[in-house]
Amino acid sequence: MTADLSGIDALFPAHVLRDYALLGDGERGAVIGPRGDVIWMCAPQWHDPAVFSSLIDGPGAFAVTPINPRYVWEGHYDDGTLIWNSRWVTTEGIVECREALAMPGDPSTAVLLRTIRVISGTAPVRILFQAKPGFGRDKLDLSRNDDGTWSGAGGGLSARLSGLERAHVVDDMLRLDIDLSPGDEHHLVFELSSKELPARLPDSALLWADTADAWAASAPRLNSSVAPVDARLAHAVLRGLTSSSGAMVAAATMGLPEREAGKQNYDYRYAWIRDQCFAGLAADASGATDLLDSSVRFVGGRLLADGPELKPAYTVTGGPVPDEERLDFAGYPGGTDTVGNWVNGQFQLDIFGEALLLFSAAADRDRLDKADWPAVEVAVRAIEAKWTLPDAGMWELKDDLWTHSRLMCVAGLKAIARHAPAIQAGRWESLADRILAQTAATSVHPSGRWQRSASDHRVDAALLLPAIRGALPVRDPCSLATAVAVRKELLEDGYVYRFRHGPGQLAEAEGAFLLCGFNLALAEHQQGNIVDAFRLFERNRAACGSPGLFTEEFDVGQRQLRGNFPQAFVHAAMLETAHRLAGPPTG
């Protein structure tokens, strides 16, 4: 590695997103690049300030990188886990670094494990470490202990680093060069906690064993899907993004651009109700009942707490999403350093319908307890009270009477009515019929398809979902016409865009939405168009980076990932589609 040691953020400039991998333990995530550079980790939990923030031009990183500047990078996940294996082939040898956040995750304490091993030849590596809590606002003063570990505190966090006994401080960072023989291993353990760390040093071998066991216990085989390996990775991503509270963050990162300098840069380190429901339905389809139960627990809890005032998103602890603000960083190239999210002020009607679909899926598996039914009734009452009001919709735009929002309420009411006593079921089905009739009277395009709203005649890929979720019969003419219009107007080169922003090319406004591509695959499969369904599935599941992770959007022309990373609902859509395509069409 050749670099000016003037600052660790200067040593590890940003990569394209397809080169990054994610380590996750449910309570927080760490983003790692091809130079072994952990350049993003918030602690102690997802929504807390970052301790490593080089990803957005902030301070702090933890790198293990070959000293020989001539190397190529490779890497892979252990099957069904977020245990990552970095691998570098140099001109003199091959070296690997096994990486994980220790499992099971503890909400107050992060433990980052890294084990370096030389596979063949000689491959010396350089280890650089600099932690900067609070997005760099706080200082973490590390000092060497008698046992060779480094420890310190700052920003309300206690830290300890094992495995750098011979390190030196160079330009405010720890630096150690090591040269191992083939077969040798060098263990690094970084502990960071909002509590006082135990006096006893961690046992690296035991931590690795517990982490492997925890992943094995939570990873279903998913062999009945059409893409078992990818399905297991998608499940691992969802599991790694899901806290012990049951809440699943939408993504591990913030401020990564959906379009270069397009002012679409958001903080996704929060739990969106809709995304949580998508993940629960994917878990139900694949038989991953642990994630289904987590989703029901979190969504049900928020409904009981907030009732009809249910917010679109929360922190993983159930707290409010903070207002947007900017940090004093340059941000990821083309992006910003935006913290917080304006979604906290929105009303989104469709999340009540999504919640009912989630509860119905749990009931189908006999996993909806009696204690969950008050949350069901809260969601129904919210729909009764609010279905005539404008809302921000699935895409979080200006308030309107969005067709998708109302039809998803229809789907949820019909689904949960199947599990309700006769009197309730009749009332809920009647409400669904009223909403459907009113929506059909105002929001059917002259061509016979659904349009975005009564005042917006455009087609929207979100309108594929109501038929997929059972709001209407499989052969409903409006839904069939909508799928035809999506294929004609929003499908290009096997990828689907949300809606047409203007008269220009689709790609001029934004990238293709992978969620929409998988949903069109589900719609094709539902209609018995098996070849088209598989073509769409294979096209969209290929729109990932080398580690196999997806972002929200895919820039088709540049073949690049766009948006925050990794995007949970895209992995949920891939997981569900991989399973449903293995079965017969429902049409």
Side-chain angles (χ1 to χ4, degrees):
M1 181 180 65
T2 58
D4 174 18
L5 297 182
S6 60
I8 204 164
D9 52 320
L11 298 174
F12 302 103
H15 301 278
V16 292
L17 295 179
R18 66 184 309 114
D19 286 346
Y20 286 112
L22 174 76
L23 314 179
D25 65 2
E27 308 298 344
R28 80 284 299 165
V31 175
I32 182 169
R35 291 166 296 203
D37 43 335
V38 177
I39 41 66
W40 181 257
M41 189 173 83
C42 298
Q45 292 188 280
W46 296 102
H47 55 274
D48 289 314
V51 66
F52 304 133
S53 56
S54 297
L55 179 67
I56 60 168
D57 194 49
F62 182 11
V64 175
T65 310
I67 292 175
N68 185 336
R70 290 189 57 78
Y71 64 82
V72 292
W73 162 81
E74 301 168 353
H76 71 278
Y77 282 110
D78 286 3
D79 190 18
T81 78
L82 291 186
I83 299 173
W84 177 251
N85 298 271
S86 298
R87 181 182 177 95
W88 301 278
V89 180
T90 77
T91 55
E92 299 166 344
I94 301 173
V95 61
E96 291 185 344
C97 190
R98 186 168 169 80
E99 334 255 12
L101 282 166
M103 294 272 284
D106 180 331
S108 64
T109 304
V111 181
L112 179 57
L113 306 175
R114 312 191 75 175
T115 296
I116 306 162
R117 56 194 176 196
V118 174
I119 306 303
S120 64
T122 60
V125 299
R126 177 165 297 159
I127 304 167
L128 296 174
F129 177 89
Q130 183 188 66
K132 292 285 187 178
F135 291 113
R137 290 188 293 260
D138 303 310
K139 186 174 178 59
L140 186 65
D141 288 315
L142 293 176
S143 58
R144 195 195 314 263
N145 303 312
D146 292 340
D147 57 12
T149 62
W150 294 78
S151 63
L157 300 172
S158 300
R160 182 166 57 198
L161 184 59
S162 306
L164 289 182
E165 290 79 2
R166 296 180 291 108
H168 299 283
V169 178
V170 179
D171 291 327
D172 197 31
M173 72 186 83
L174 293 178
R175 170 178 166 174
L176 175 65
D177 293 352
I178 62 173
D179 191 357
L180 303 176
S181 299
D184 289 347
E185 293 186 344
H186 185 87
H187 298 280
L188 301 169
V189 180
F190 174 48
E191 303 165 84
L192 189 68
S193 181
S194 57
K195 300 178 179 179
E196 184 177 351
L197 290 169
R200 185 176 180 179
L201 292 178
D203 183 323
S204 177
L206 182 59
L207 288 170
W208 274 115
D210 288 346
T211 298
D213 288 346
W215 278 113
S218 69
R221 297 312 299 164
L222 303 178
N223 287 328
S224 62
S225 79
V226 298
V229 173
D230 284 1
R232 287 193 289 270
L233 177 56
H235 176 273
V237 171
L238 298 178
R239 174 66 186 85
L241 296 175
T242 300
S243 167
S244 54
S245 68
M248 179 197 72
V249 294
T253 58
M254 51 168 263
L256 303 189
E258 296 176 8
R259 189 168 185 81
E260 303 103 314
K263 297 183 180 180
Q264 293 174 298
N265 312 276
Y266 305 108
D267 185 354
Y268 278 7
R269 300 171 300 145
Y270 310 106
W272 264 253
I273 295 296
R274 182 188 302 104
D275 297 22
Q276 187 93 53
C277 293
F278 286 170
L281 293 175
D284 168 62
S286 62
T289 53
D290 61 334
L291 290 178
L292 174 61
D293 294 344
S294 295
S295 296
V296 169
R297 183 168 79 253
F298 184 75
V299 173
R302 298 328 312 152
L303 275 164
L304 291 175
D306 293 347
E309 303 308 312
L310 181 72
K311 298 297 184 182
Y314 296 85
T315 67
V316 294
T317 57
V321 172
D323 293 336
E324 286 188 351
E325 63 174 305
R326 293 285 299 274
L327 302 172
D328 191 23
F329 302 145
Y332 182 89
T336 65
D337 53 2
T338 302
V339 178
N341 198 295
W342 68 340
V343 74
N344 58 10
Q346 289 188 347
F347 161 54
Q348 296 177 10
L349 175 68
D350 69 293
I351 60 177
F352 296 102
E354 295 286 1
L356 293 179
L357 287 166
L358 174 68
F359 295 145
S360 176
D364 286 340
R365 289 186 174 271
D366 198 24
R367 304 188 77 87
L368 192 71
D369 296 334
K370 184 178 180 180
D372 297 318
W373 276 92
V376 171
E377 293 169 350
V378 167
V380 173
R381 289 198 298 271
I383 294 172
E384 288 177 320
K386 294 193 167 190
W387 73 268
T388 59
L389 303 178
D391 77 300
M394 179 175 180
W395 305 132
E396 301 175 352
L397 304 171
K398 67 176 183 179
D399 284 356
D400 201 346
L401 295 172
W402 297 110
T403 304
H404 165 267
S405 295
R406 282 136 193 82
L407 292 182
M408 293 312 296
C409 289
V410 172
L413 288 165
K414 287 186 174 183
I416 199 63
R418 294 187 289 105
H419 304 284
I423 294 178
Q424 275 184 318
R427 182 164 59 86
W428 296 352
E429 289 174 347
S430 177
L431 175 60
D433 289 342
R434 291 202 309 275
I435 297 172
L436 179 58
Q438 178 64 23
T439 307
T442 61
S443 302
V444 174
H445 190 265
S447 66
R449 59 161 172 82
W450 294 109
Q451 61 187 41
R452 302 186 74 211
S453 72
S455 60
D456 189 334
H457 293 191
R458 291 171 292 176
V459 68
D460 192 316
L463 293 169
L464 296 168
L465 266 176
I468 294 170
R469 299 299 185 214
L472 306 121
V474 171
R475 304 302 297 180
D476 170 70
C478 281
S479 298
L480 293 176
T482 300
V484 170
V486 169
R487 287 193 294 269
K488 180 180 179 181
E489 299 183 35
L490 303 179
L491 176 66
E492 285 190 0
D493 197 23
Y495 297 101
V496 180
Y497 294 79
R498 293 186 300 169
F499 53 88
R500 187 171 290 281
H501 289 258
Q505 296 295 313
L506 288 165
E508 291 178 3
E510 64 182 14
F513 263 63
L514 298 179
L515 171 69
C516 299
F518 286 120
N519 284 344
L520 184 56
L522 287 175
E524 296 286 15
H525 181 260
Q526 186 180 52
Q527 298 301 330
N529 304 324
I530 304 302
V531 173
D532 289 336
F534 270 88
R535 182 180 293 117
L536 284 160
F537 172 72
E538 294 296 349
R539 190 68 164 144
N540 283 268
R541 79 166 172 136
C544 60
S546 299
L549 305 180
F550 299 100
T551 52
E552 185 173 32
E553 298 183 34
F554 185 66
D555 186 324
V556 180
Q558 299 292 331
R559 295 293 191 266
Q560 295 294 342
L561 312 187
R562 304 293 187 206
N564 282 294
F565 172 89
Q567 188 76 26
F569 67 47
V570 179
H571 290 82
M574 204 291 298
L575 176 61
E576 179 178 358
T577 309
H579 179 81
R580 296 205 184 279
L581 263 59
T586 57

